[in-house]
Amino acid sequence: MTEPTSRRRFLKTCTAAAGAGLLQACGTAPASNNAPSAPSHPVAKARTVYPKPPRHSNSVDNLLRIVASSGFAEDTNRVNTALTRLYNAGFTVTNQQAGSRRFQRFAGTDAQRAADFQDVASGRVAMPKVLMGLRGGYGAARILPHIDFASLGARMRERGTLFFGFSDVCAVQLALLAKGNMMSFAGPMAYSEFGKPAPSVFTMDAFIKGATQNRLTVDVPYIQRANVETEGTLWGGNLSVLASLAGTPYMPDIDGGILFLEDVGEQPYRIERMLNTLYLSGILGKQRAIIFGDFRMGNIRDVYDSSYDFSTVVNHISRTAKIPVLTGFPFGHIADKITFPLGAHARIRMNGNGGYSVAFEGYPTLDASALTLDTLLPPPNLPIFPESGVADISE
């Protein structure tokens, strides 16, 4: 059989199977009665990357579903790069069309973006081993009421599904923890990291370790003002998103937890205002510690008082909330970021040099033997150097 003939038969089979959920690139998400089904700004279609068959006939450990809860992907070439890189890593990538959808500023209508998750929650599509956010931006909060998080969380627990995302995607992750009692992962996303022409090797290596090892310890060498020895559920995400969910049913009620926070492009007073929202709503008072990731402050200064900086905010919130605060955790809108669980048990310990470590346990992992994750890394003779603090404005 010639390759063109094989491809035509494959596409014919895909069209017949649309809606079955095994190859979402051949189907379309259901349209809403309340929203137009066609994007107001058409974009070029991403090239479909055809999945490999699973290495083991009874294994679906390589099934990955793209979920686009927020902004649309501007560059289809970057989408194709992400799909190809994930394909080469051994994943069968489904719902690929999410990377080429657009409605206004979003990656599809509210109904389409909600269906990325609700089709999984309802059993309409095959339960994947991985849910991976396309990118951040804005829009996830709009779809929260349209997702059955209790069913989604139950199905994810049964399957041991890993959900990777950050930035605006953490609105879905927080709702999943609050209403579905299911953890997720702060980690790289399809367009944001896997779609880069040259992804950070540090980030790719951290993704492999964080996703495949059943225990993870993150060492932070920076000297801290607080001396913290505690443990609890580590949760959180983007500060702006958390503040926007305060007082809603989608904010987790974690008592005795460890709250992780990151953000980007905010002046110190705005960071403090959002932290005060969490404090006044009673959230901070329930935590045993706060861990700040990278806020990408750079040259950002308070427009009224340039001496009112990020450290001033950190000191104020620690005194006000009466809980210890740690800084320097290697995650945020930066090129080099680790992958770590949100909603899992964590232990904080200080080291002998003024820094600290966070040890995680009790979370689902990928079966590395069913994948080819080493394709995400350069040849073994090339060293891996982190580029800490390097900016990454993509989400």
Side-chain angles (χ1 to χ4, degrees):
M1 181 184 296
T2 64
E3 182 176 350
T5 301
S6 175
R7 177 64 57 85
R8 285 194 297 270
R9 291 188 178 181
F10 180 80
L11 292 175
K12 182 178 180 180
T13 301
C14 291
T15 303
L22 294 179
L23 194 62
Q24 290 295 304
C26 302
T28 55
S32 169
N33 293 329
N34 300 319
S37 58
S40 58
H41 302 279
V43 295
K45 292 291 185 182
R47 172 178 54 83
T48 298
V49 177
Y50 297 101
K52 299 176 182 178
R55 275 182 174 71
H56 310 295
S57 59
N58 295 324
S59 173
V60 288
D61 278 351
N62 61 351
L63 197 62
L64 181 151
R65 180 175 173 84
I66 300 294
V67 287
S69 62
S70 307
F72 74 94
E74 302 99 322
D75 186 351
T76 54
N77 289 327
R78 187 160 169 166
V79 174
N80 290 332
T81 297
L83 297 177
T84 300
R85 190 166 276 126
L86 292 167
Y87 165 89
N88 289 335
F91 291 107
T92 298
V93 184
T94 66
N95 202 37
Q96 295 182 25
Q97 78 274 7
S100 57
R101 294 187 318 227
R102 181 178 179 183
F103 172 71
Q104 297 176 344
R105 62 175 291 129
F106 310 109
T109 65
D110 288 359
Q112 289 173 323
R113 291 180 292 119
D116 287 353
F117 299 92
Q118 186 56 28
D119 283 354
V120 177
S122 65
R124 183 175 181 271
V125 300
M127 188 68 209
K129 182 63 178 178
V130 173
L131 293 172
M132 179 170 287
L134 178 70
R135 59 158 299 173
Y138 166 70
R142 293 171 52 140
I143 68 174
L144 299 184
H146 307 295
I147 301 171
D148 182 349
F149 286 103
S151 295
L152 180 61
R155 287 175 58 80
M156 289 177 65
R157 279 193 301 277
E158 181 180 3
R159 179 70 187 87
T161 298
L162 290 72
F163 175 17
F164 298 98
F166 73 103
S167 192
D168 191 65
V169 178
C170 86
V172 181
Q173 295 175 309
L174 290 165
L176 178 65
L177 184 60
K179 300 180 74 66
N181 193 31
M182 181 61 190
M183 55 81 59
S184 58
F185 286 80
M189 296 187 287
Y191 186 84
S192 307
E193 280 79 32
F194 290 94
K196 289 181 177 179
S200 160
V201 178
F202 178 86
T203 297
M204 294 294 100
D205 182 62
F207 169 76
I208 295 171
K209 292 176 180 176
T212 62
Q213 298 177 358
N214 57 15
R215 292 177 182 270
L216 174 68
T217 299
V218 180
D219 293 307
V220 182
Y222 305 108
I223 296 176
Q224 304 294 311
R225 295 184 181 183
N227 188 359
V228 185
E229 302 278 338
T230 191
E231 58 185 283
T233 299
L234 190 143
W235 66 289
N238 183 265
L239 174 58
S240 299
V241 174
L242 263 87
S244 72
L245 294 181
T248 74
Y250 306 106
M251 174 66 84
D253 184 12
I254 307 294
D255 197 357
I258 300 167
L259 179 60
F260 166 77
L261 299 168
E262 61 84 19
D263 216 316
V264 62
E266 299 287 0
Q267 289 191 37
Y269 83 93
R270 291 176 60 86
I271 295 173
E272 182 177 303
R273 182 164 61 192
M274 290 184 284
L275 288 168
N276 277 331
T277 297
L278 301 182
Y279 168 68
L280 294 173
S281 61
I283 294 170
L284 298 188
K286 294 181 178 182
Q287 309 309 309
R288 293 176 178 170
I290 300 174
I291 296 179
F292 284 113
D294 198 305
F295 274 66
R296 287 265 313 281
M297 298 307 294
N299 295 322
I300 296 178
R301 297 291 182 271
D302 189 288
V303 295
Y304 288 108
D305 182 357
S306 61
S307 67
Y308 200 86
D309 57 13
F310 183 70
S311 63
T312 304
V313 173
V314 170
N315 292 335
H316 166 74
I317 206 66
S318 181
R319 290 193 304 268
T320 302
K322 297 181 174 57
I323 53 176
V325 173
L326 299 171
T327 59
F329 199 76
F331 192 88
H333 290 69
I334 52 177
D336 295 324
K337 56 176 66 71
I338 63 166
T339 294
F340 67 99
L342 294 169
H345 188 80
R347 298 186 307 278
I348 300 176
R349 297 291 183 267
M350 305 305 294
N351 60 37
N353 299 318
Y356 65 99
S357 66
V358 183
F360 300 89
E361 61 183 7
Y363 52 90
T365 58
L366 296 176
D367 178 7
S369 68
L371 300 164
T372 51
L373 297 175
D374 57 330
T375 62
L376 300 172
L377 300 174
N381 59 324
L382 295 180
I384 297 174
F385 294 118
E387 302 176 30
S388 300
V390 175
D392 181 12
I393 60 173
S394 65
E395 297 180 282

